[in-house]
Amino acid sequence: EYSALLSTGEQVSMSLLAMILINRGCPAVSFTGWQARIKTNHSVHKARIMDIDREPIKKQLNEGRVVIVAGFQGIDEEGNITTLGRGGSDTTAVALATSLEADECRIYTDVDGVYTTDPRLVPTARRMKHVTFEEMLELSSLGAKVLQIRAVEFASRYNMPLRVLSTFKGGPGTLISSKEKTMENPIISGIAFNRNEAKLTIRSVPDKPGVASQIISAISDSDIDIDMIIQNVANDATTDFSFTIGKEDYDKAIKLLSKVTKNLDLPEDCIDGDKKIAKLSLVGVGMRSHVGIASKMFTLLAKEGINIQLITTSEIKVSVIVDEKYTELGVRALHAGFELDMEPTEEFDPL
């Protein structure tokens, strides 16, 4: 019933838009998710699209009508209305573009593209002309809010180019595709940051098989997403075990860890927590062919007196945890230090 209720907002919007177009002499028709035959699995509030029957939409397009499909919703095998969860409208758009074999999927939003970082934080942030799927997946997962990660995952899986454009003004936007530069690939494409982070540490944990599993299983089994994990081994066969989660799960995680530490016969004061942290991340496919990125990042932060608490890396990403009060200073220092306000030295046409 809750999904049926949530789906009504998009239905109001689609029919109003269709009526406006028809009144202006533009033939149009609106489709709910079930009318568009967007079939999903049985998950009620975070359903995943399994299949789309494109024939009803193609029929209307062939008859010269603009087809308006309600995003964020679908129907399961039993005929129940399902909703796709946060970012579901973007995911619907990508799925429809893929099903209809479009050249690209265009997402109109409140910004005119993907920027090197949040322009509200760094006024010199630059709109990027092109971002790879890999980079956008990392940026979305690390805190960039332009596109939801599920939509980017869907586009990447089916190699559907995405273009982010502004609803309110013209411009080429930012193209997100699988193609990379070859000669002049920028080392760093963007900087993401996330203040919604909390760190938990269990001190003096026995360094033996199965202990880490007990800790992590207790958290993950309660649907709490774990981000960074750091484990240090001491000389006395114990370890300090640290990991990060979302702030909204902090209190719940503390209660779960208290039960785990009791089972491990650890003292009550062995759990430390910190909700005043932030994650800063460098992202760029150019990291694959360049060394010294992490070293430069650490140096730039050190010059500003910013201490690094945790570090994690991947092939195209370096992330660090710092004190939350240094978020803006850290982002600005990294943006300037890696010269992200400067245009690439060579134009590149990703198409």
Side-chain angles (χ1 to χ4, degrees):
E1 297 302 332
Y2 188 60
S3 288
L5 175 63
L6 288 180
S7 68
T8 59
E10 281 72 20
Q11 292 180 39
V12 171
S13 299
M14 73 179 194
S15 30
L16 284 174
L17 178 55
M19 287 188 283
I20 290 170
L21 292 175
I22 292 168
N23 286 337
R24 294 190 176 188
C26 177
V29 61
S30 64
F31 279 3
T32 61
W34 65 266
Q35 287 175 316
R37 301 181 188 173
I38 299 174
K39 301 171 185 176
T40 73
N41 62 8
H42 296 292
S43 180
V44 181
H45 304 309
K46 292 184 179 180
R48 292 191 172 273
I49 296 174
M50 309 304 291
D51 186 38
I52 296 178
D53 181 354
R54 63 182 181 177
E55 292 309 314
I57 295 175
K58 285 188 68 176
K59 181 177 182 293
Q60 296 294 333
L61 290 173
N62 292 335
E63 292 177 3
R65 294 184 181 90
V66 173
V67 180
I68 304 157
V69 181
F72 178 67
Q73 60 183 253
I75 189 168
D76 66 16
E77 291 181 357
E78 297 177 358
N80 299 308
I81 293 175
T82 57
T83 51
L84 307 184
R86 188 177 179 186
S89 292
D90 288 353
T91 305
T92 302
V94 176
L96 286 169
T98 302
S99 176
L100 295 166
E101 300 177 346
D103 292 332
E104 67 180 35
C105 177
R106 296 180 176 178
I107 304 290
Y108 288 84
T109 182
D110 57 351
V111 294
D112 63 344
V114 181
Y115 279 72
T116 49
T117 195
D118 190 338
R120 293 170 296 183
L121 209 65
V122 182
T124 57
R126 174 177 50 81
R127 180 182 57 79
M128 294 180 280
K129 297 176 182 177
H130 176 250
V131 180
T132 67
F133 285 133
E134 282 183 281
E135 291 170 325
M136 197 66 232
L137 282 168
E138 290 284 9
L139 290 169
S140 295
S141 67
L142 295 168
K145 297 178 175 62
V146 179
L147 287 172
Q148 289 299 325
I149 190 169
R150 281 182 62 187
V152 183
E153 287 174 343
F154 204 111
S156 176
R157 187 185 314 149
Y158 294 100
N159 198 23
M160 171 53 62
L162 274 170
R163 191 179 295 273
V164 178
L165 298 148
S166 171
T167 306
F168 309 105
K169 64 179 181 179
T174 299
L175 181 68
I176 303 158
S177 74
S178 59
K179 297 185 179 180
E180 298 181 10
K181 296 182 180 181
T182 53
M183 297 292 292
E184 295 297 329
N185 215 15
I187 301 173
I188 304 300
S189 292
I191 299 172
F193 61 91
N194 188 3
R195 292 188 177 98
N196 185 38
E197 295 273 340
K199 182 179 71 170
L200 290 166
T201 299
I202 305 178
R203 290 178 283 102
S204 302
V205 176
D207 183 29
K208 59 183 182 180
V211 174
S213 175
Q214 289 184 54
I215 297 170
I216 296 303
S217 295
I219 301 299
S220 58
D221 289 348
S222 298
D223 292 327
I224 297 176
D225 290 329
I226 297 173
D227 187 10
M228 297 183 179
I229 301 175
I230 303 293
Q231 180 174 339
N232 297 313
V233 180
N235 292 328
D236 60 354
T238 64
T239 180
D240 288 344
F241 192 90
S242 300
F243 60 92
T244 61
I245 56 174
K247 280 183 181 177
E248 67 277 5
D249 294 319
Y250 180 82
D251 293 334
K252 183 179 179 181
I254 288 286
K255 293 179 181 178
L256 292 168
L257 289 179
S258 296
K259 295 179 181 178
V260 174
T261 55
K262 187 176 181 180
N263 292 335
L264 294 172
D265 293 325
L266 296 175
E268 293 182 0
D269 62 350
C270 68
I271 302 173
D272 290 331
D274 187 356
K275 292 195 288 186
K276 295 182 179 181
I277 62 170
K279 179 168 63 176
L280 310 182
S281 304
L282 300 179
V283 176
V285 293
M287 289 188 192
R288 291 194 181 109
S289 55
H290 290 79
V291 297
I293 303 301
S295 174
K296 183 175 180 179
M297 180 186 194
F298 304 157
T299 300
L300 290 169
L301 294 175
K303 286 181 179 179
E304 300 295 336
I306 301 174
N307 185 48
I308 297 171
Q309 301 179 27
L310 299 175
I311 304 166
T312 185
T313 64
S314 73
E315 192 177 27
I316 65 167
K317 173 202 73 180
V318 181
S319 294
V320 298
I321 293 293
V322 301
D323 196 305
E324 185 180 14
K325 66 182 179 182
Y326 294 122
T327 304
E328 294 186 18
L329 178 62
V331 171
R332 288 171 179 160
L334 294 174
H335 197 273
F338 284 96
E339 300 179 338
L340 294 184
D341 54 335
M342 298 176 62
E343 289 287 343
T345 56
E346 183 177 298
E347 290 293 323
F348 169 62
D349 181 6
L351 292 177

